[in-house]
Amino acid sequence: MPEDATEPDPSGARPAPDPPQARPGGVTDTFAAGLLRCMVETPSPSYHEAALARSLVDAMGQLGFAAYVDQVGNVVGEIGRGDGPVVLLIGHLDTVPGGPVVRAEDGRLYGRGAVDAKGPLAAMVCAAASADFGGRIVVVGAVEEEIASRGSREIRRRLPRPDAVVVGEPSGWSTITLGYKGKLDLRYRVSVPATHPSNPVAKASELAVRCWTTLLELLGPDSGNGSFDRPGATLISLRADQVEAEAELSVRTPPGYDVDGLLRELTRRTPDGELTVVNRVAACRADHRNPVVRALSAGIRAQRARPALKVKTGTSDMNVLAEQWDVPMATYGPGDSSLDHSDDEHIVLADYLRGIAVLRHALRELDVPASPPAANRVNGFRLAPSGA
C-alpha cells in the first residue's frame, strides 16, 4: 500500500507508538528490545501494514538508513555506500489477525508478530545498523507475505539482483532454514440447474467434494503436509449447496514436483466446473555450502552454539525470490516457529538479542576483501575454510 494511502484500523487499537530514539549505529540491547515491542504493539494484519511501515521508516532513519515506503507499501532501507557486496535482508510486516495481549513477562515478549515475523525483521534492522560492513545492506519489510507474497514480488521486480539474500522468518536463533515446499492455490467453481434432491444427477455440492477427493487421489496415498519430500493438500474452504459451489484448495509441493501434470489431470477429471490457479510458487532449497549458510553458521558458532539446518513444509518469501534470483540465499531469524499464528505467540528476548548478534557476525563474514584469490570465490563471495 502506498505510504500516503489511508486504511481502516481493523483492530480499533490506538495509533502506533513512537519508535525508540537512537543515533546512527547506536543499537543497544535496550533499543533493540524497544524497537521490537513498538513493532509488535502496532497492529499490521495483511492489507493493513501502513502504520507499522511509517513507524519503521522513522526508526530506520534514526539509525542512519535511507528509508522509504515504496508504491505497494514495502519498507525499504539502505545503509552503507562501500564497494563490497550488496546484501538483501528481507522480512515481512504483515501478520494474521488476533494474538495475545502485548506484554513482557519472564524475559519473553508476547504479541502477534513477535515470532512471525517482526522478531526476525527487527533483528535484521538492528544487525544492519550496527554491522561492520564494507558494502551495502538493503533491509526490506515486505507486505502481504501471509497472503501471496505481493511485497517480495515487487522487490524482485524493481530492485537490482543483490549478491546475497537472507530471508527473515523464525528458524530458531541457532538454526538455519535451507528450503520450503512450493505452493499451488486453486479455486474450483461449479453451478448446475436446480433439481429435486432425489434426482440422480450430480449436485454442485457433490461435484465440489468430488474435485477434492480427486485431488487427493492424484497426489497419492503417501501425500501429506508432514513431509518435505511429498506433496500435501488442504481443503481451505467449501461453500456449497445443490446449485452452486466453490472450493478453495491448497497444495504444498516438493522440489521437482510436476505441477503442470497435476493441473492437466485434475482439470480433465473435473470437467463440470472451472478450475483456476490463484497462486503458484515453486519449492526451493539452498545448498548448505553456500556463502550465506556458511556466514550464518559462523555467527551461530560465535555465540557458542552448534548450528542446525532444516527445511520447512510451509512457504515463504524465499520461494518467490529464489524463482528468479540465483544468488546465495537462506532463511534465518530468532523465534520458535511452532508459535506462528498461535494464541501464545511470544519470543524469548535473550534469543532475539542472540539473533541480532548472529546476523551482525554473518554480515561481517560476507564482507568480501578487495581482491580475494579467484579460487576462493563463489558468486562473488569468499569461501570460508571447510571447518568454519
Side-chain angles (χ1 to χ4, degrees), residues 49 61 105 168 203 212 247 257 306 319 323 331 347 357 376 383:
E49 303 99 330
E105 186 177 288
K203 315 303 185 294
W212 166 244
Y257 190 78
R306 182 176 181 178
N319 299 72
E323 280 188 323
T331 294
I347 193 167
N376 291 330
L383 282 175

Side-chain angles (χ1 to χ4, degrees), residues 219-250:
L219 295 178
D222 296 330
S223 65
N225 286 320
S227 170
F228 185 78
D229 297 319
R230 298 291 302 172
T234 301
L235 178 59
I236 302 298
S237 66
L238 176 62
R239 296 174 291 278
D241 57 27
Q242 294 184 78
V243 176
E244 294 186 344
E246 178 177 302
E248 301 281 349
L249 316 170
S250 182

Side-chain angles (χ1 to χ4, degrees), residues 41-67:
E41 286 181 335
T42 307
S44 57
S46 301
Y47 306 120
H48 301 280
E49 303 99 330
L52 176 58
R54 290 190 293 266
S55 176
L56 189 55
V57 164
D58 289 344
M60 293 173 79
Q62 294 173 34
L63 291 169
F65 287 84

